[in-house]
Amino acid sequence: MFRVIPVFSQDPEKGYGYSEETKPMLNTSHGFVPWGDSHHPDISQTEGTVDGRWVFINENNTPRIARISLKTFETEEIIEIPNSAGNHSSSFVTENSEYVVAGTRFSVPFPQRDMPIADMKGNFSGALSFLKIDPEHGHMNIEFQIKMPGFSYDLSHPGRGKSHGWFFFSTYNTEEANTLMEVNASQNDKDFIAAINWKKIEEYVKNGGGKMVPAKYAHNTWDDDTHTATSVMKKEVLVVEPKDVPGAIYFLPTAKSPHGCDVDPTGEYIIGNGKLAAAMTVHSFTKMLKAIEDKAFDGDAYGIPIIKFDAVNYGTLNQPGLGPLHTEFDTRGNGYTTFFISSEVVKWNIKDLKVIDRHPVYYSVGHLMIPGGNSRTPDDKYMVAMNKITKDRYLPTGPEVCQSAQLFDISGEKMELLLDFPTIGEPHYAAGISADVIKKNNPTKIYKLVDNKHPYGVKSEAETRVVRKGKEVHIYMSMIRSHFSPDNIEGVKVGDKVFFHVTNLEQDYDVPHGISMIGANTSELLIMPGRTTTFTWEPKEVGVWPFYCTDFCSALHQEMQGYVRVSPKGSNLPISFTLDGDIPGEEEE
């Protein structure tokens, strides 16, 4: 593990979500949400190959999509998804990073309103959201939402190669049940894969199609120049009704209760994994187009044509294992599928529909990952299986035991287990890319001080100062090996609100500094070379209170410290501070 990147949750090591600059990143239409439920990362692509520019990841509970820069390895943008609930069905990136796409796990009233839950059928809807990605900067915008029938939408994938321009969503609960779901949502013999011609809908939208509807959602962005996030509350979104774009959406019957919908590197084969079926459905994109042309339909669902199963189905992989979930691919025509119930990974040939190899895992595997496995060009030497249960695998550490992942060599005919290792939290999904691609993108090593446009930043110790503004005290502080400037501050009173605006003056790679102030609401603020970060402190008691560097920076790290003297409320002691001598502060009423 090289780096932990905070996205939807506060991070006490770096101060993400605690510092004044980063708090807006966790803003939503529901207010400040300090932690989230991430599941599925996906990497940006160019011409069907992962390019190492950005990672996109979902937040399930408060539906959001985030974009992470692989130059800075920091979260640069978070956009909330309105009209959605349970953003499990995301994030999935099209092969030229035109869109990152998100579905809804829970269909809900659209727009939200007070209504009986028992009246769900026919009255709830599922939103499929297409977020346009700026090709230069990666900035996201909800281009349109498709208002779909009130099913549940699960793991999905874009077409690629010959099927580029289409998107395939697995669905379940086509029964539209609302209670005892484990029984009532498993009644139909088959559920669907929804095939969406997004290029057709894109053209419809460009020509003025769709309707703007009210929708409240937050769009949070990070500015690398000012080292500050801003949050803007949006008020509307463009919604497309399937009936208004005939020929753009079809349903493909698929083994019941599918979890994964995966498209092979050629774009020809669409794999549907029914969790409750002892078979795997393989559809053909070529046959799908022919079936649409021939109007080989078996009725419709809410006006969306259902293609006849035999007209679209390439074949079925019978009894490969129990509980198929997720498939990734190599460049040799093989699929690798996880089986939750039989606890194994199965390698099988897509064209021949024959099992080649199977390997047990420990236990109850969910997802697996081949680097670039959801692109046209998998880097198919290795595969990682991510397991849900490891009750007898590692040291028993109480009722909760860590989950595990297992690394396999898949370069030969047989899968070979190389490494078995514990993970942090439940490993749900992963995305992989060659380290060489990351290195070629020249990741950021420092932030140049001359480019620091933070409104409270300083460029040198000569600019450091302490200013009182009524009951606020603003400390413009610098840090460098191995001291703070200023290092002693007097004249602060009980009841003041103290703002520490701290700039790391280092211009050397891998020399962050940290700062911690006794009684502040963050135990550490980690500041990168050339950056400025702000935290607040509200002293409640008189006394002399220390602050110190929290990140080991030099042999004199322990000496990197200072004090703030706090006097009683109403004290007349003026603001002053020191580095080598007493310096008076400033008063601004």
Side-chain angles (χ1 to χ4, degrees):
M1 184 176 67
F2 296 107
R3 178 83 183 258
V4 173
I5 305 172
V7 184
F8 298 112
S9 297
Q10 290 177 305
D11 180 57
E13 181 198 16
K14 299 175 182 66
Y16 179 86
Y18 293 100
S19 70
E20 298 303 303
E21 289 83 358
T22 57
K23 283 179 182 177
M25 294 299 287
L26 301 180
N27 190 38
T28 76
S29 63
H30 304 278
F32 181 81
V33 178
W35 64 83
D37 179 23
S38 295
H39 280 70
H40 308 125
D42 204 2
I43 301 173
S44 57
Q45 297 186 26
T46 300
E47 296 181 354
T49 298
V50 288
D51 58 26
R53 290 184 294 166
W54 306 296
V55 170
F56 299 86
I57 192 166
N58 65 333
E59 204 278 282
N60 195 16
N61 183 53
T62 307
R64 287 170 283 174
I65 297 288
R67 178 176 56 82
I68 298 157
S69 166
L70 291 184
K71 280 189 73 68
T72 63
F73 285 76
E74 292 184 345
T75 303
E76 290 191 330
E77 187 176 15
I78 297 177
I79 190 166
E80 192 177 358
I81 311 296
N83 302 315
S84 188
N87 186 36
H88 188 262
S89 177
S90 62
S91 51
F92 309 109
V93 179
T94 56
E95 69 169 32
N96 281 301
S97 302
E98 298 95 339
Y99 293 96
V100 56
V101 182
T104 182
R105 175 181 174 185
F106 307 105
S107 289
V108 292
F110 187 160
Q112 277 285 9
R113 60 193 182 278
D114 180 17
M115 63 171 290
I117 299 171
D119 294 342
M120 167 185 175
K121 193 165 186 176
N123 291 308
F124 284 21
S125 297
L128 306 182
S129 304
F130 283 70
L131 283 66
K132 192 78 172 175
I133 302 170
D134 179 87
E136 183 177 356
H137 302 291
H139 296 155
M140 300 180 292
N141 176 65
I142 301 178
E143 192 79 353
F144 56 86
Q145 288 188 318
I146 306 171
K147 189 177 182 180
M148 293 288 285
F151 309 151
S152 292
Y153 298 84
D154 210 342
L155 297 184
S156 316
H157 273 95
R160 51 185 57 94
K162 64 172 66 179
S163 56
H164 177 57
W166 288 78
F167 213 98
F168 303 93
F169 285 87
S170 63
T171 75
Y172 65 101
N173 192 25
T174 52
E175 299 85 353
E176 297 178 79
N178 61 72
T179 185
L180 290 175
M181 297 287 285
E182 72 273 23
V183 174
N184 294 327
S186 304
Q187 297 299 306
N188 293 342
D189 180 54
K190 289 184 173 64
D191 287 303
F192 300 127
I193 288 174
I196 312 285
N197 187 333
W198 60 259
K199 283 199 171 182
K200 191 174 185 116
I201 296 175
E202 181 182 61
E203 190 64 27
Y204 168 76
V205 168
K206 285 180 179 177
N207 290 325
K211 181 182 178 183
M212 296 300 294
V213 301
K216 185 180 179 183
Y217 60 101
H219 190 178
N220 310 327
T221 54
W222 175 260
D223 188 319
D224 246 351
D225 292 330
T226 62
H227 311 165
T228 302
T230 56
S231 180
V232 176
M233 201 63 66
K234 299 292 189 77
K235 297 181 179 179
E236 58 182 7
V237 68
L238 184 70
V239 174
V240 173
E241 299 269 4
K243 64 181 176 58
D244 295 331
V245 198
I249 304 175
Y250 300 90
F251 284 135
L252 318 182
T254 302
K256 68 164 63 179
S257 300
H259 182 62
C261 175
D262 304 290
V263 182
D264 85 307
T266 70
E268 170 63 18
Y269 301 105
I270 305 152
I271 318 297
N273 300 336
K275 297 194 298 289
L276 302 180
M280 289 174 54
T281 306
V282 182
H283 290 315
S284 162
F285 179 71
T286 301
K287 290 186 72 173
M288 185 191 83
L289 295 182
K290 181 70 164 53
I292 292 170
E293 182 182 349
D294 295 343
K295 299 189 184 304
F297 302 140
D298 190 12
D300 68 82
Y302 294 100
I304 297 172
I306 301 170
I307 298 177
K308 290 181 178 179
F309 181 80
D310 291 338
V312 70
N313 185 243
Y314 173 78
T316 301
L317 185 66
N318 289 309
Q319 297 184 327
L322 297 176
L325 289 183
H326 176 60
T327 301
E328 295 227 335
F329 308 92
D330 62 23
T331 58
R332 303 179 292 273
N334 302 312
Y336 299 76
T337 302
T338 55
F339 289 85
F340 180 81
I341 296 173
S342 53
S343 293
E344 59 185 333
V345 174
V346 174
K347 175 182 178 180
W348 55 284
N349 183 270
I350 302 170
K351 189 174 181 180
D352 297 338
L353 294 174
K354 291 182 179 178
V355 172
I356 298 170
D357 187 25
R358 61 179 70 240
H359 202 294
V361 292
Y362 298 93
Y363 298 109
S364 301
V365 62
H367 291 265
L368 78 167
M369 182 274 290
I370 293 171
N374 60 349
S375 71
R376 278 202 230 171
T377 55
D379 187 3
D380 51 4
K381 298 176 184 177
Y382 302 104
M383 177 265 290
V384 177
M386 289 162 274
N387 308 314
K388 304 291 189 184
I389 299 172
T390 54
K391 58 188 174 184
D392 62 358
R393 200 67 176 157
Y394 303 117
L395 183 71
T397 53
E400 182 186 16
V401 183
C402 66
Q403 288 89 1
S404 78
Q406 293 176 297
L407 174 67
F408 289 85
D409 182 337
I410 59 170
S411 59
E413 185 79 357
K414 299 290 185 179
M415 297 177 283
E416 180 184 352
L417 179 62
L418 299 178
L419 180 66
D420 192 331
F421 57 98
T423 64
I424 296 174
E426 179 195 335
H428 200 87
Y429 188 50
I433 188 170
S434 166
D436 291 338
V437 178
I438 299 295
K439 293 174 185 176
K440 286 177 184 175
N441 283 349
N442 192 25
T444 299
K445 294 185 176 181
I446 62 168
Y447 297 92
K448 295 180 180 178
L449 263 178
V450 293
D451 296 333
N452 184 330
K453 295 181 176 62
H454 192 290
Y456 300 114
V458 297
K459 300 291 201 307
S460 68
E461 289 185 2
E463 297 179 17
T464 61
R465 60 200 185 278
V466 182
V467 179
R468 174 176 288 282
K469 297 180 180 180
K471 291 189 175 181
E472 293 182 357
V473 176
H474 291 261
I475 303 171
Y476 300 82
M477 179 179 283
S478 69
M479 52 197 345
I480 197 166
R481 287 168 287 185
S482 290
H483 64 263
F484 294 95
S485 176
D487 60 1
N488 289 323
I489 299 157
E490 301 190 22
V492 174
K493 307 170 192 175
V494 171
D496 283 342
K497 186 171 186 178
V498 182
F499 292 80
F500 285 79
H501 309 293
V502 189
T503 301
N504 182 350
L505 297 180
E506 303 284 356
Q507 291 290 267
D508 194 6
Y509 183 35
D510 196 25
V511 189
H513 289 294
I515 183 170
S516 188
M517 178 73 220
I518 188 170
N521 64 358
T522 175
S523 63
E524 178 178 36
L525 220 58
L526 199 60
I527 306 172
M528 298 301 115
R531 269 209 168 154
T532 302
T533 303
T534 298
F535 73 97
T536 60
W537 176 56
E538 298 184 49
K540 303 293 193 303
E541 300 178 50
V542 300
V544 179
W545 307 104
F547 57 90
Y548 61 98
C549 179
T550 57
D551 197 76
F552 201 95
C553 54
S554 74
L556 297 175
H557 165 72
Q558 290 290 95
E559 284 74 16
M560 192 169 172
Q561 65 175 56
Y563 290 100
V564 179
R565 174 184 172 186
V566 178
S567 300
K569 185 183 295 186
S571 168
N572 293 321
L573 186 68
I575 289 287
S576 65
F577 58 94
T578 68
L579 183 57
D580 290 320
D582 289 332
I583 305 172
E586 300 175 33
E587 297 276 347
E588 292 184 13
E589 297 298 337

